[in-house]
mmCIF file of all heavy atoms in Angstrom:
data_model
loop_
_atom_site.group_PDB
_atom_site.id
_atom_site.type_symbol
_atom_site.label_atom_id
_atom_site.label_comp_id
_atom_site.label_asym_id
_atom_site.label_seq_id
_atom_site.Cartn_x
_atom_site.Cartn_y
_atom_site.Cartn_z
ATOM 1 N N GLY M 1 -5.415 18.572 -29.916
ATOM 2 C CA GLY M 1 -4.518 17.864 -29.008
ATOM 3 C C GLY M 1 -4.002 16.577 -29.618
ATOM 4 O O GLY M 1 -2.828 16.225 -29.479
ATOM 5 N N TRP M 2 -4.860 15.859 -30.326
ATOM 6 C CA TRP M 2 -4.475 14.617 -31.004
ATOM 7 C C TRP M 2 -3.429 14.890 -32.080
ATOM 8 O O TRP M 2 -2.407 14.217 -32.153
ATOM 9 C CB TRP M 2 -5.742 13.985 -31.577
ATOM 10 C CG TRP M 2 -5.535 12.833 -32.496
ATOM 11 C CD1 TRP M 2 -5.199 11.555 -32.157
ATOM 12 C CD2 TRP M 2 -5.692 12.843 -33.914
ATOM 13 N NE1 TRP M 2 -5.143 10.769 -33.287
ATOM 14 C CE2 TRP M 2 -5.448 11.545 -34.379
ATOM 15 C CE3 TRP M 2 -6.033 13.841 -34.833
ATOM 16 C CZ2 TRP M 2 -5.515 11.201 -35.724
ATOM 17 C CZ3 TRP M 2 -6.111 13.494 -36.173
ATOM 18 C CH2 TRP M 2 -5.849 12.199 -36.597
ATOM 19 N N ALA M 3 -3.668 15.902 -32.907
ATOM 20 C CA ALA M 3 -2.703 16.239 -33.958
ATOM 21 C C ALA M 3 -1.392 16.747 -33.353
ATOM 22 O O ALA M 3 -0.305 16.379 -33.811
ATOM 23 C CB ALA M 3 -3.295 17.286 -34.902
ATOM 24 N N LEU M 4 -1.496 17.580 -32.305
ATOM 25 C CA LEU M 4 -0.281 18.086 -31.657
ATOM 26 C C LEU M 4 0.462 16.980 -30.917
ATOM 27 O O LEU M 4 1.685 17.050 -30.757
ATOM 28 C CB LEU M 4 -0.628 19.255 -30.735
ATOM 29 C CG LEU M 4 -1.134 20.510 -31.469
ATOM 30 C CD1 LEU M 4 -1.722 21.501 -30.489
ATOM 31 C CD2 LEU M 4 -0.033 21.129 -32.311
ATOM 32 N N ALA M 5 -0.250 15.940 -30.490
ATOM 33 C CA ALA M 5 0.419 14.773 -29.895
ATOM 34 C C ALA M 5 1.330 14.134 -30.925
ATOM 35 O O ALA M 5 2.466 13.726 -30.609
ATOM 36 C CB ALA M 5 -0.608 13.763 -29.391
ATOM 37 N N HIS M 6 0.868 14.053 -32.153
ATOM 38 C CA HIS M 6 1.720 13.516 -33.221
ATOM 39 C C HIS M 6 2.919 14.429 -33.466
ATOM 40 O O HIS M 6 4.014 13.947 -33.751
ATOM 41 C CB HIS M 6 0.909 13.300 -34.500
ATOM 42 C CG HIS M 6 0.019 12.108 -34.426
ATOM 43 N ND1 HIS M 6 0.483 10.819 -34.535
ATOM 44 C CD2 HIS M 6 -1.310 12.008 -34.220
ATOM 45 C CE1 HIS M 6 -0.513 9.971 -34.424
ATOM 46 N NE2 HIS M 6 -1.625 10.668 -34.212
ATOM 47 N N CYS M 7 2.718 15.743 -33.319
ATOM 48 C CA CYS M 7 3.846 16.674 -33.456
ATOM 49 C C CYS M 7 4.864 16.463 -32.346
ATOM 50 O O CYS M 7 6.060 16.678 -32.550
ATOM 51 C CB CYS M 7 3.356 18.125 -33.451
ATOM 52 S SG CYS M 7 2.471 18.585 -34.936
ATOM 53 N N SER M 8 4.403 16.030 -31.166
ATOM 54 C CA SER M 8 5.325 15.751 -30.060
ATOM 55 C C SER M 8 6.274 14.610 -30.400
ATOM 56 O O SER M 8 7.321 14.469 -29.783
ATOM 57 C CB SER M 8 4.553 15.388 -28.783
ATOM 58 O OG SER M 8 3.773 16.471 -28.345
ATOM 59 N N LEU M 9 5.897 13.793 -31.373
ATOM 60 C CA LEU M 9 6.747 12.683 -31.798
ATOM 61 C C LEU M 9 7.714 13.079 -32.903
ATOM 62 O O LEU M 9 8.560 12.277 -33.309
ATOM 63 C CB LEU M 9 5.872 11.515 -32.291
ATOM 64 C CG LEU M 9 4.909 10.929 -31.265
ATOM 65 C CD1 LEU M 9 3.996 9.906 -31.934
ATOM 66 C CD2 LEU M 9 5.657 10.305 -30.111
ATOM 67 N N ALA M 10 7.579 14.313 -33.404
ATOM 68 C CA ALA M 10 8.446 14.778 -34.492
ATOM 69 C C ALA M 10 9.895 14.847 -34.024
ATOM 70 O O ALA M 10 10.176 15.145 -32.867
ATOM 71 C CB ALA M 10 7.997 16.150 -34.976
ATOM 72 N N ARG M 11 10.761 14.580 -34.920
ATOM 73 C CA ARG M 11 12.189 14.712 -34.632
ATOM 74 C C ARG M 11 12.851 15.428 -35.794
ATOM 75 O O ARG M 11 12.575 15.124 -36.959
ATOM 76 C CB ARG M 11 12.842 13.346 -34.433
ATOM 77 C CG ARG M 11 12.361 12.643 -33.179
ATOM 78 C CD ARG M 11 12.765 13.459 -31.920
ATOM 79 N NE ARG M 11 12.162 12.935 -30.712
ATOM 80 C CZ ARG M 11 11.105 13.457 -30.110
ATOM 81 N NH1 ARG M 11 10.516 14.514 -30.590
ATOM 82 N NH2 ARG M 11 10.639 12.940 -29.004
ATOM 83 N N ALA M 12 13.711 16.376 -35.476
ATOM 84 C CA ALA M 12 14.421 17.176 -36.475
ATOM 85 C C ALA M 12 13.436 17.837 -37.445
ATOM 86 O O ALA M 12 13.689 17.919 -38.635
ATOM 87 C CB ALA M 12 15.437 16.314 -37.227
ATOM 88 N N GLY M 13 12.305 18.300 -36.895
ATOM 89 C CA GLY M 13 11.339 19.014 -37.714
ATOM 90 C C GLY M 13 10.540 18.129 -38.653
ATOM 91 O O GLY M 13 9.854 18.624 -39.531
ATOM 92 N N ARG M 14 10.610 16.814 -38.486
ATOM 93 C CA ARG M 14 9.922 15.905 -39.399
ATOM 94 C C ARG M 14 8.968 14.989 -38.648
ATOM 95 O O ARG M 14 9.287 14.481 -37.588
ATOM 96 C CB ARG M 14 10.936 15.065 -40.168
ATOM 97 C CG ARG M 14 11.839 15.920 -41.032
ATOM 98 C CD ARG M 14 12.510 15.170 -42.140
ATOM 99 N NE ARG M 14 11.678 14.226 -42.837
ATOM 100 C CZ ARG M 14 11.008 14.487 -43.956
ATOM 101 N NH1 ARG M 14 11.036 15.688 -44.459
ATOM 102 N NH2 ARG M 14 10.311 13.546 -44.554
ATOM 103 N N LEU M 15 7.813 14.794 -39.245
ATOM 104 C CA LEU M 15 6.822 13.868 -38.718
ATOM 105 C C LEU M 15 6.900 12.551 -39.484
ATOM 106 O O LEU M 15 7.294 12.540 -40.653
ATOM 107 C CB LEU M 15 5.419 14.433 -38.910
ATOM 108 C CG LEU M 15 5.058 15.686 -38.132
ATOM 109 C CD1 LEU M 15 3.769 16.279 -38.672
ATOM 110 C CD2 LEU M 15 4.903 15.353 -36.668
ATOM 111 N N ASN M 16 6.488 11.463 -38.851
ATOM 112 C CA ASN M 16 6.345 10.223 -39.612
ATOM 113 C C ASN M 16 5.060 10.335 -40.432
ATOM 114 O O ASN M 16 4.299 11.298 -40.309
ATOM 115 C CB ASN M 16 6.369 8.993 -38.698
ATOM 116 C CG ASN M 16 5.218 8.970 -37.703
ATOM 117 O OD1 ASN M 16 4.163 9.548 -37.924
ATOM 118 N ND2 ASN M 16 5.425 8.298 -36.584
ATOM 119 N N SER M 17 4.782 9.361 -41.291
ATOM 120 C CA SER M 17 3.626 9.458 -42.187
ATOM 121 C C SER M 17 2.303 9.502 -41.420
ATOM 122 O O SER M 17 1.369 10.205 -41.817
ATOM 123 C CB SER M 17 3.627 8.312 -43.196
ATOM 124 O OG SER M 17 3.567 7.070 -42.534
ATOM 125 N N THR M 18 2.204 8.786 -40.295
ATOM 126 C CA THR M 18 0.987 8.821 -39.477
ATOM 127 C C THR M 18 0.795 10.223 -38.900
ATOM 128 O O THR M 18 -0.316 10.755 -38.887
ATOM 129 C CB THR M 18 1.065 7.782 -38.351
ATOM 130 O OG1 THR M 18 1.246 6.493 -38.928
ATOM 131 C CG2 THR M 18 -0.190 7.797 -37.496
ATOM 132 N N GLY M 19 1.874 10.828 -38.433
ATOM 133 C CA GLY M 19 1.806 12.174 -37.885
ATOM 134 C C GLY M 19 1.457 13.209 -38.938
ATOM 135 O O GLY M 19 0.675 14.134 -38.680
ATOM 136 N N GLU M 20 2.025 13.066 -40.122
ATOM 137 C CA GLU M 20 1.697 13.992 -41.210
ATOM 138 C C GLU M 20 0.217 13.912 -41.550
ATOM 139 O O GLU M 20 -0.450 14.933 -41.700
ATOM 140 C CB GLU M 20 2.529 13.681 -42.456
ATOM 141 C CG GLU M 20 3.959 14.123 -42.353
ATOM 142 C CD GLU M 20 4.729 13.925 -43.643
ATOM 143 O OE1 GLU M 20 4.108 13.648 -44.697
ATOM 144 O OE2 GLU M 20 5.958 14.045 -43.596
ATOM 145 N N ARG M 21 -0.296 12.690 -41.648
ATOM 146 C CA ARG M 21 -1.713 12.515 -41.968
ATOM 147 C C ARG M 21 -2.585 13.117 -40.872
ATOM 148 O O ARG M 21 -3.567 13.807 -41.154
ATOM 149 C CB ARG M 21 -2.046 11.034 -42.148
ATOM 150 C CG ARG M 21 -3.495 10.819 -42.533
ATOM 151 C CD ARG M 21 -3.870 9.341 -42.605
ATOM 152 N NE ARG M 21 -5.288 9.184 -42.803
ATOM 153 C CZ ARG M 21 -6.231 9.430 -41.898
ATOM 154 N NH1 ARG M 21 -5.913 9.843 -40.700
ATOM 155 N NH2 ARG M 21 -7.505 9.257 -42.166
ATOM 156 N N ALA M 22 -2.243 12.877 -39.607
ATOM 157 C CA ALA M 22 -3.017 13.419 -38.489
ATOM 158 C C ALA M 22 -3.046 14.946 -38.553
ATOM 159 O O ALA M 22 -4.099 15.564 -38.387
ATOM 160 C CB ALA M 22 -2.427 12.955 -37.155
ATOM 161 N N LEU M 23 -1.905 15.540 -38.795
ATOM 162 C CA LEU M 23 -1.815 16.999 -38.842
ATOM 163 C C LEU M 23 -2.654 17.565 -39.989
ATOM 164 O O LEU M 23 -3.408 18.523 -39.813
ATOM 165 C CB LEU M 23 -0.353 17.416 -38.977
ATOM 166 C CG LEU M 23 -0.033 18.877 -38.768
ATOM 167 C CD1 LEU M 23 -0.371 19.312 -37.348
ATOM 168 C CD2 LEU M 23 1.435 19.136 -39.053
ATOM 169 N N ILE M 24 -2.571 16.952 -41.145
ATOM 170 C CA ILE M 24 -3.298 17.454 -42.318
ATOM 171 C C ILE M 24 -4.801 17.238 -42.168
ATOM 172 O O ILE M 24 -5.600 18.140 -42.440
ATOM 173 C CB ILE M 24 -2.755 16.801 -43.601
ATOM 174 C CG1 ILE M 24 -1.336 17.337 -43.865
ATOM 175 C CG2 ILE M 24 -3.662 17.075 -44.788
ATOM 176 C CD1 ILE M 24 -0.574 16.575 -44.917
ATOM 177 N N VAL M 25 -5.221 16.053 -41.711
ATOM 178 C CA VAL M 25 -6.653 15.787 -41.532
ATOM 179 C C VAL M 25 -7.239 16.742 -40.497
ATOM 180 O O VAL M 25 -8.331 17.293 -40.691
ATOM 181 C CB VAL M 25 -6.883 14.307 -41.135
ATOM 182 C CG1 VAL M 25 -8.306 14.063 -40.666
ATOM 183 C CG2 VAL M 25 -6.549 13.386 -42.290
ATOM 184 N N ALA M 26 -6.530 16.952 -39.403
ATOM 185 C CA ALA M 26 -7.021 17.866 -38.367
ATOM 186 C C ALA M 26 -7.069 19.302 -38.878
ATOM 187 O O ALA M 26 -8.053 20.016 -38.639
ATOM 188 C CB ALA M 26 -6.148 17.764 -37.121
ATOM 189 N N ALA M 27 -6.028 19.745 -39.582
ATOM 190 C CA ALA M 27 -6.008 21.114 -40.116
ATOM 191 C C ALA M 27 -7.122 21.311 -41.130
ATOM 192 O O ALA M 27 -7.781 22.362 -41.141
ATOM 193 C CB ALA M 27 -4.646 21.417 -40.742
ATOM 194 N N ASP M 28 -7.351 20.319 -41.971
ATOM 195 C CA ASP M 28 -8.446 20.421 -42.938
ATOM 196 C C ASP M 28 -9.783 20.547 -42.214
ATOM 197 O O ASP M 28 -10.622 21.374 -42.589
ATOM 198 C CB ASP M 28 -8.472 19.196 -43.859
ATOM 199 C CG ASP M 28 -7.370 19.222 -44.915
ATOM 200 O OD1 ASP M 28 -6.744 20.280 -45.114
ATOM 201 O OD2 ASP M 28 -7.149 18.161 -45.532
ATOM 202 N N TYR M 29 -9.989 19.762 -41.166
ATOM 203 C CA TYR M 29 -11.251 19.826 -40.423
ATOM 204 C C TYR M 29 -11.434 21.203 -39.786
ATOM 205 O O TYR M 29 -12.521 21.792 -39.857
ATOM 206 C CB TYR M 29 -11.311 18.731 -39.353
ATOM 207 C CG TYR M 29 -12.642 18.709 -38.654
ATOM 208 C CD1 TYR M 29 -13.728 18.061 -39.228
ATOM 209 C CD2 TYR M 29 -12.832 19.374 -37.450
ATOM 210 C CE1 TYR M 29 -14.971 18.075 -38.612
ATOM 211 C CE2 TYR M 29 -14.073 19.386 -36.833
ATOM 212 C CZ TYR M 29 -15.136 18.735 -37.420
ATOM 213 O OH TYR M 29 -16.361 18.763 -36.812
ATOM 214 N N VAL M 30 -10.378 21.723 -39.184
ATOM 215 C CA VAL M 30 -10.445 23.034 -38.529
ATOM 216 C C VAL M 30 -10.804 24.117 -39.537
ATOM 217 O O VAL M 30 -11.651 24.972 -39.272
ATOM 218 C CB VAL M 30 -9.106 23.348 -37.807
ATOM 219 C CG1 VAL M 30 -8.982 24.817 -37.457
ATOM 220 C CG2 VAL M 30 -8.976 22.485 -36.562
ATOM 221 N N THR M 31 -10.184 24.087 -40.715
ATOM 222 C CA THR M 31 -10.473 25.133 -41.700
ATOM 223 C C THR M 31 -11.831 24.937 -42.368
ATOM 224 O O THR M 31 -12.507 25.905 -42.694
ATOM 225 C CB THR M 31 -9.366 25.224 -42.772
ATOM 226 O OG1 THR M 31 -9.205 23.960 -43.406
ATOM 227 C CG2 THR M 31 -8.050 25.665 -42.145
ATOM 228 N N GLU M 32 -12.254 23.685 -42.555
ATOM 229 C CA GLU M 32 -13.550 23.417 -43.187
ATOM 230 C C GLU M 32 -14.728 23.762 -42.281
ATOM 231 O O GLU M 32 -15.780 24.187 -42.758
ATOM 232 C CB GLU M 32 -13.654 21.937 -43.574
ATOM 233 C CG GLU M 32 -12.751 21.539 -44.716
ATOM 234 C CD GLU M 32 -12.599 20.024 -44.841
ATOM 235 O OE1 GLU M 32 -13.298 19.274 -44.127
ATOM 236 O OE2 GLU M 32 -11.753 19.598 -45.654
ATOM 237 N N THR M 33 -14.577 23.569 -40.984
ATOM 238 C CA THR M 33 -15.706 23.761 -40.070
ATOM 239 C C THR M 33 -15.649 25.075 -39.307
ATOM 240 O O THR M 33 -16.616 25.432 -38.642
ATOM 241 C CB THR M 33 -15.793 22.609 -39.053
ATOM 242 O OG1 THR M 33 -14.571 22.561 -38.307
ATOM 243 C CG2 THR M 33 -16.051 21.284 -39.752
ATOM 244 N N GLY M 34 -14.544 25.781 -39.398
ATOM 245 C CA GLY M 34 -14.441 27.074 -38.736
ATOM 246 C C GLY M 34 -15.365 28.089 -39.401
ATOM 247 O O GLY M 34 -15.719 27.969 -40.574
ATOM 248 N N VAL M 35 -15.759 29.075 -38.636
ATOM 249 C CA VAL M 35 -16.650 30.124 -39.139
ATOM 250 C C VAL M 35 -15.802 31.353 -39.462
ATOM 251 O O VAL M 35 -15.176 31.933 -38.564
ATOM 252 C CB VAL M 35 -17.732 30.471 -38.090
ATOM 253 C CG1 VAL M 35 -18.628 31.596 -38.589
ATOM 254 C CG2 VAL M 35 -18.548 29.236 -37.738
ATOM 255 N N ALA M 36 -15.761 31.737 -40.741
ATOM 256 C CA ALA M 36 -14.977 32.901 -41.156
ATOM 257 C C ALA M 36 -15.643 34.171 -40.648
ATOM 258 O O ALA M 36 -16.829 34.396 -40.876
ATOM 259 C CB ALA M 36 -14.848 32.941 -42.670
ATOM 260 N N VAL M 37 -14.861 34.974 -39.929
ATOM 261 C CA VAL M 37 -15.339 36.241 -39.389
ATOM 262 C C VAL M 37 -14.243 37.269 -39.630
ATOM 263 O O VAL M 37 -13.150 37.143 -39.087
ATOM 264 C CB VAL M 37 -15.644 36.133 -37.877
ATOM 265 C CG1 VAL M 37 -16.087 37.468 -37.323
ATOM 266 C CG2 VAL M 37 -16.689 35.065 -37.615
ATOM 267 N N ALA M 38 -14.554 38.263 -40.480
ATOM 268 C CA ALA M 38 -13.566 39.279 -40.858
ATOM 269 C C ALA M 38 -12.294 38.571 -41.328
ATOM 270 O O ALA M 38 -12.347 37.763 -42.241
ATOM 271 C CB ALA M 38 -13.322 40.253 -39.719
ATOM 272 N N ALA M 39 -11.175 38.846 -40.688
ATOM 273 C CA ALA M 39 -9.916 38.231 -41.091
ATOM 274 C C ALA M 39 -9.595 37.002 -40.247
ATOM 275 O O ALA M 39 -8.481 36.491 -40.286
ATOM 276 C CB ALA M 39 -8.777 39.243 -40.977
ATOM 277 N N GLY M 40 -10.563 36.510 -39.493
ATOM 278 C CA GLY M 40 -10.312 35.396 -38.584
ATOM 279 C C GLY M 40 -11.152 34.172 -38.894
ATOM 280 O O GLY M 40 -11.978 34.161 -39.806
ATOM 281 N N LEU M 41 -10.908 33.145 -38.106
ATOM 282 C CA LEU M 41 -11.636 31.889 -38.231
ATOM 283 C C LEU M 41 -12.010 31.443 -36.823
ATOM 284 O O LEU M 41 -11.138 31.181 -36.002
ATOM 285 C CB LEU M 41 -10.743 30.843 -38.906
ATOM 286 C CG LEU M 41 -11.385 29.520 -39.282
ATOM 287 C CD1 LEU M 41 -12.426 29.721 -40.374
ATOM 288 C CD2 LEU M 41 -10.308 28.554 -39.761
ATOM 289 N N HIS M 42 -13.304 31.412 -36.524
ATOM 290 C CA HIS M 42 -13.764 31.010 -35.191
ATOM 291 C C HIS M 42 -14.067 29.520 -35.174
ATOM 292 O O HIS M 42 -14.756 29.009 -36.053
ATOM 293 C CB HIS M 42 -15.034 31.769 -34.796
ATOM 294 C CG HIS M 42 -14.790 33.210 -34.532
ATOM 295 N ND1 HIS M 42 -15.810 34.084 -34.242
ATOM 296 C CD2 HIS M 42 -13.652 33.947 -34.487
ATOM 297 C CE1 HIS M 42 -15.312 35.284 -34.034
ATOM 298 N NE2 HIS M 42 -14.008 35.229 -34.191
ATOM 299 N N GLN M 43 -13.566 28.843 -34.146
ATOM 300 C CA GLN M 43 -13.880 27.443 -33.919
ATOM 301 C C GLN M 43 -14.998 27.403 -32.887
ATOM 302 O O GLN M 43 -14.764 27.563 -31.703
ATOM 303 C CB GLN M 43 -12.642 26.685 -33.390
ATOM 304 C CG GLN M 43 -11.732 26.159 -34.461
ATOM 305 C CD GLN M 43 -11.153 27.223 -35.347
ATOM 306 O OE1 GLN M 43 -10.472 28.114 -34.900
ATOM 307 N NE2 GLN M 43 -11.441 27.132 -36.619
ATOM 308 N N ARG M 44 -16.231 27.207 -33.338
ATOM 309 C CA ARG M 44 -17.381 27.154 -32.447
ATOM 310 C C ARG M 44 -17.612 25.723 -31.998
ATOM 311 O O ARG M 44 -17.419 24.793 -32.768
ATOM 312 C CB ARG M 44 -18.628 27.687 -33.151
ATOM 313 C CG ARG M 44 -18.523 29.173 -33.484
ATOM 314 C CD ARG M 44 -19.869 29.705 -33.943
ATOM 315 N NE ARG M 44 -19.925 31.139 -33.847
ATOM 316 C CZ ARG M 44 -20.108 31.833 -32.733
ATOM 317 N NH1 ARG M 44 -20.250 31.230 -31.588
ATOM 318 N NH2 ARG M 44 -20.145 33.149 -32.737
ATOM 319 N N ALA M 45 -18.016 25.548 -30.766
ATOM 320 C CA ALA M 45 -18.278 24.221 -30.220
ATOM 321 C C ALA M 45 -19.361 23.524 -31.028
ATOM 322 O O ALA M 45 -20.311 24.151 -31.497
ATOM 323 C CB ALA M 45 -18.702 24.326 -28.756
#
């Protein structure tokens, strides 16, 4: 939600540098901590 909040501030498909960082840091966390299962990635609490 925090990263997507920064996406809500995007204009013309572009994020500001704070938004880009938020999106990348959040995406990295999701992929690093997700549990790989078959062809998917589970986000466990």
Side-chain angles (χ1 to χ4, degrees):
W2 170 76
L4 294 168
H6 285 284
C7 289
S8 296
L9 300 173
R11 293 297 171 258
R14 298 200 42 94
L15 294 167
N16 62 26
S17 60
T18 302
E20 285 185 12
R21 182 185 173 289
L23 192 63
I24 291 168
V25 168
D28 285 347
Y29 185 82
V30 164
T31 57
E32 290 165 7
T33 59
V35 178
V37 178
L41 187 66
H42 290 176
Q43 273 60 60
R44 294 190 161 282

